[in-house]
Amino acid sequence: MKKQWKVFLGFILVLLIVIFALSNNQEVPVNFLIKKIYLSLVLVIVGSALIGALVVFLTSGATLFQQRKEIKHLKETIQSYETNNEQKLAEEKAAFQREQENEIAMLKANYESLLKEKDQALAENKNAQAEKRDDQPIDYYD
């Protein structure tokens, strides 16, 4: 919608310039540094408008080109930051996962050692009870 108003406004301005130029059709002297030329006022007005439009186009075009170049550079910078962040995130995730796996392995090892100790204590207890039974005569009347 914004561009439509700009096009419409530009069309009206061009129409006004053409009407103004056509209503002034006498010849006028135009001085170029060392030479004087007689031209129709229509050509002078339209030529001046075209030169003004060209100047505006060139200056805005240079600014637009510079802005596009800066936007491209900023997009590349953002992309590199995103890539670096993704890499750092992957590294941190892998480090955390390794840390968790190491902790799980340590807990398993502790569990296994405690289980072995309990099994040995249980075996010793069974052996002690078995020896106790062997030493005492069996009383069938108890």
Side-chain angles (χ1 to χ4, degrees):
M1 191 74 180
K2 225 177 194 185
K3 287 192 175 203
Q4 289 176 345
W5 281 104
K6 287 180 181 180
V7 170
F8 184 69
L9 185 62
F11 180 71
I12 289 177
L13 288 174
V14 168
L15 189 63
L16 288 174
I17 290 171
V18 168
I19 290 171
F20 177 73
L22 290 176
S23 65
N24 295 298
N25 58 3
Q26 64 261 16
E27 283 195 7
V28 292
V30 178
N31 292 321
F32 288 108
L33 297 177
I34 52 173
K35 187 157 183 158
K36 184 185 270 189
I37 300 175
Y38 289 92
L39 292 174
S40 172
L41 189 55
V42 173
L43 292 176
V44 173
I45 293 171
V46 172
S48 297
L50 288 176
I51 290 172
L54 182 64
V55 167
V56 168
F57 176 74
L58 291 176
T59 55
S60 67
T63 304
L64 185 63
F65 175 74
Q66 186 179 15
Q67 288 174 345
R68 284 185 181 171
K69 186 177 177 182
E70 187 175 350
I71 288 170
K72 182 180 177 185
H73 174 69
L74 291 173
K75 282 183 180 179
E76 289 172 354
T77 304
I78 289 171
Q79 184 65 32
S80 69
Y81 285 149
E82 287 176 350
T83 304
N84 288 341
N85 284 342
E86 288 173 2
Q87 289 175 349
K88 287 180 182 178
L89 181 64
E91 291 170 1
E92 289 291 325
K93 188 176 179 182
F96 180 73
Q97 206 167 18
R98 282 191 304 271
E99 186 179 306
Q100 293 298 314
E101 288 171 357
N102 288 340
E103 190 173 337
I104 289 171
M106 282 181 18
L107 290 172
K108 281 183 180 179
N110 286 341
Y111 174 75
E112 292 294 326
S113 67
L114 288 173
L115 192 59
K116 272 187 181 179
E117 288 176 11
K118 295 291 180 183
D119 284 344
Q120 286 175 351
L122 197 61
E124 288 174 6
N125 196 5
K126 280 185 181 180
N127 286 341
Q129 282 182 358
E131 285 177 11
K132 221 183 208 185
R133 273 191 252 151
D134 289 340
D135 292 345
Q136 292 178 357
I138 299 176
D139 187 14
Y140 292 104
Y141 301 108
D142 267 344

